[in-house]
Amino acid sequence: MNENERNDLQTTITHALQEMKAEAGDSFDITKVNLAELERRTGISRKRLRKLKKDGFVVKPHGLSGRKKEKTVLTGFEGVIDGLLQKGVTNSSVIKERLDENGYQGSLTPIKTYVSSHMDLVPAKRQLVAPQGNRGRRYTSGPGESFQMDWGFVTVEQDSGSTYRVACFAMICHHCGERYVEFFPNAKQENLFIGMLHAFLKMGVPEHVLTDNMKSVTTGRDSEGHPIWNNEYAGFMSAVGFETRLCKPRHPFTKGAVERLVRFVKNNFLAGRTFGSITDLNYEAWRWCDRQNSLYHDGVYCIPHEEHQERCLLSGAVPLDMDSAVRLYLWPERRISFDGFINYEGRRFGVPYSYTGKACRVSRQEFTLYIYTPDLKRKLAEHNVTWSRHDSFCKDQYAVKQPEEFPTAPVSTVIRQSSPPPSADSFDHFNFDKEVEW
């Protein structure tokens, strides 16, 4: 019985006793209360009323209340939870996922109780300023009509203590909430194109994409406020077949759906996560997206994956036509250096010596990096993507027969090389066939 239940029970008994005292007058004696009448008024069993009568009808807590077990289902996992709380992770579902990876067998309720009683470990949030201006107005879009995209950035800590930054590409269907997330070493324009094409392959091509004024998309606006498209991005829009709409500068909540998705990825998927490589991280991110897309979401009143398959792909978004012009965006062009390497995602990969061209195209697919000719008709090399900073050489990267110099005049200088001194073998004294010296 908790404190609220005790208070309710005490109120009921006190009210009944006051009624009985008002009816009996001065002859009322609490030690001689008719328990049968009190049972009728309160609905409490006579057995329990006898126990309460010994305490003067004062409801006291149970003798074992407040005691805690020495070992609980969370014993041994407190350090993991405390570490997540100190990083600002307070979502019990996220904490349970991390504990399940470490062998946790309990339910969600003990985690919620632990988190609520250890909120002092959570770092203080930054002070929010008061909202300015008038209120915004929410808007809706039809099935497959509008997608929203944005970049998010995360700092990665290595075992050596150094840090680097990775970029998170996020795209979401504004109608149903179907989402796509992919991580890249950087947020260059070529990675933007690759991320968008991967999302279009899974979600279809919408009528337009809503994004902010990133440099990869626009170079500015003209005197009338119309966007001036980046030349490469304008060609990409024409090849794929969609339009782009830009948010008002410094007005991010126009595309609030993808802004919320980026925050959800950071607070839910990335919270307390450890990964081996960006390829592994992407596999985990895609599984996470599939799991989230198959859950019911109150914000859109549907299951995103079902709604997207039944309505968005049938009435709005169209399948991506992967023709030769579009395929080139998945294979960025690279210049070959004088020593036979191309640079991709901050690492160098070798190209065979037999290829005499100065440029090639490259694509990372899962754990393999492929290098092709500019027309994508011949494969030059393939490398295992280890994400190591060391150069990756390929077979026949350098000529087998290299120039060798020979003397042009008789060699008259002679030097002598002595034989190396014999080394004492520690097993010689076990050689019984050897003649013994006396």
Side-chain angles (χ1 to χ4, degrees):
M1 181 185 298
N2 56 35
E3 185 176 357
N4 292 333
E5 292 176 346
R6 289 198 302 271
N7 293 338
D8 294 341
L9 181 60
Q10 185 67 64
T11 302
T12 303
I13 296 175
T14 303
H15 182 70
L17 291 174
Q18 289 177 351
E19 289 182 345
M20 297 175 66
K21 181 178 180 181
E23 295 174 358
D26 296 337
S27 61
F28 177 79
D29 187 357
I30 195 171
T31 60
K32 299 179 180 180
V33 172
N34 188 336
L35 296 182
E37 177 63 19
L38 188 58
E39 178 185 10
R40 185 186 67 81
R41 292 173 181 260
T42 61
I44 304 173
S45 65
R46 201 177 304 181
K47 178 179 179 181
R48 188 168 189 181
L49 288 173
R50 288 195 188 98
K51 294 181 180 180
L52 293 173
K53 185 178 179 180
K54 294 179 181 179
D55 296 328
F57 293 103
V58 176
V59 181
K60 296 182 178 180
H62 193 275
L64 299 179
S65 65
R67 295 181 58 182
K68 297 183 179 179
K69 294 182 179 179
E70 295 182 359
K71 290 186 177 181
T72 65
V73 71
L74 286 177
T75 301
F77 298 99
E78 296 91 339
V80 179
I81 303 178
D82 292 347
L84 292 173
L85 291 176
Q86 291 172 357
K87 293 179 181 180
V89 181
T90 58
N91 190 318
S92 300
S93 299
V94 177
I95 295 176
K96 185 177 184 301
E97 290 181 3
R98 302 297 177 268
L99 295 184
D100 290 341
E101 297 173 358
N102 292 276
Y104 177 68
Q105 301 293 331
S107 63
L108 190 63
T109 302
I111 300 177
K112 290 183 177 180
T113 304
Y114 187 91
V115 170
S116 62
S117 60
H118 292 78
M119 291 299 290
D120 56 300
L121 298 176
V122 181
K125 295 183 179 180
R126 61 182 181 181
Q127 186 70 25
L128 299 178
V129 299
Q132 300 177 0
N134 58 352
R135 292 184 176 180
R137 179 177 297 177
R138 296 185 182 273
Y139 66 96
T140 59
S141 58
E145 177 185 348
S146 175
F147 289 177
Q148 298 180 9
M149 71 174 182
D150 198 7
W151 285 106
F153 297 93
V154 183
T155 300
V156 179
E157 297 178 351
Q158 295 180 303
D159 294 335
S160 60
S162 60
T163 61
Y164 67 96
R165 189 173 61 187
V166 296
C168 171
F169 172 79
M171 179 173 282
I172 187 171
C173 176
H174 184 249
H175 173 75
C176 66
E178 178 89 348
R179 65 208 66 197
Y180 179 83
V181 173
E182 186 172 359
F183 290 88
F184 294 93
N186 53 62
K188 292 183 178 180
Q189 187 182 56
E190 61 185 23
N191 289 332
L192 176 68
F193 293 159
I194 294 174
M196 294 180 69
L197 290 178
H198 287 170
F200 290 158
L201 284 171
K202 182 178 180 180
M203 302 167 58
V205 182
E207 296 180 11
H208 67 266
V209 173
L210 181 65
T211 183
D212 52 17
N213 298 264
M214 61 179 69
K215 296 180 180 179
S216 302
V217 175
T218 177
T219 58
R221 295 177 183 265
D222 58 18
S223 58
E224 297 181 356
H226 300 146
I228 303 174
W229 303 114
N230 179 285
N231 291 334
E232 294 291 334
Y233 188 81
F236 178 73
M237 284 194 299
S238 176
V240 178
F242 70 96
E243 297 180 355
T244 301
R245 296 181 182 177
L246 301 180
C247 298
K248 182 180 178 181
R250 294 174 295 278
H251 205 268
F253 48 84
T254 302
K255 55 180 180 62
V258 71
E259 294 283 356
R260 183 65 182 90
L261 173 59
V262 172
R263 189 175 67 179
F264 185 46
V265 170
K266 293 180 179 180
N267 295 341
N268 188 290
F269 172 69
L270 292 176
R273 183 172 296 275
T274 302
F275 67 97
S277 67
I278 294 184
T279 306
D280 295 327
L281 184 63
N282 279 328
Y283 275 120
E284 296 175 4
W286 295 332
R287 286 194 293 267
W288 177 83
C289 286
D290 292 339
R291 185 168 62 253
Q292 296 297 328
N293 289 333
S294 61
L295 299 177
Y296 182 87
H297 287 263
D298 293 334
V300 290
Y301 306 106
C302 67
I303 298 176
H305 183 70
E306 295 180 357
E307 180 73 9
H308 196 77
Q309 295 293 326
E310 296 174 0
R311 299 192 61 188
C312 296
L313 289 178
L314 297 180
S315 59
V318 297
L320 176 63
D321 183 14
M322 188 61 72
D323 56 15
S324 58
V326 175
R327 190 167 177 233
L328 291 178
Y329 289 101
L330 291 175
W331 295 78
E333 190 176 63
R334 286 293 185 271
R335 303 287 295 180
I336 302 175
S337 63
F338 73 96
D339 54 350
F341 284 98
I342 57 102
N343 193 305
Y344 186 67
E345 294 182 336
R347 293 157 179 81
R348 302 209 313 162
F349 301 91
V351 180
Y353 178 80
S354 59
Y355 178 65
T356 59
K358 296 183 179 180
C360 61
R361 291 191 177 271
V362 59
S363 175
R364 172 172 55 85
Q365 301 176 13
E366 298 182 349
F367 292 93
T368 306
L369 183 129
Y370 298 95
I371 302 176
Y372 273 68
T373 56
D375 56 3
L376 299 180
K377 292 183 178 180
R378 182 163 65 95
K379 182 174 73 172
L380 301 177
E382 63 179 63
H383 297 263
N384 293 326
V385 181
T386 61
W387 296 102
S388 171
R389 291 294 179 181
H390 298 289
D391 293 344
S392 178
F393 294 86
C394 72
K395 183 180 179 181
D396 300 330
Q397 183 170 344
Y398 298 104
V400 177
K401 186 177 180 180
Q402 298 185 7
E404 182 180 358
E405 298 295 331
F406 295 96
T408 57
V411 179
S412 59
T413 303
V414 180
I415 59 177
R416 182 179 181 83
Q417 180 180 2
S418 61
S419 301
S423 59
D425 192 351
S426 60
F427 290 95
D428 279 349
H429 62 281
F430 292 107
N431 188 1
F432 300 106
D433 294 333
K434 185 178 180 181
E435 184 177 355
V436 180
E437 297 180 359
W438 298 94

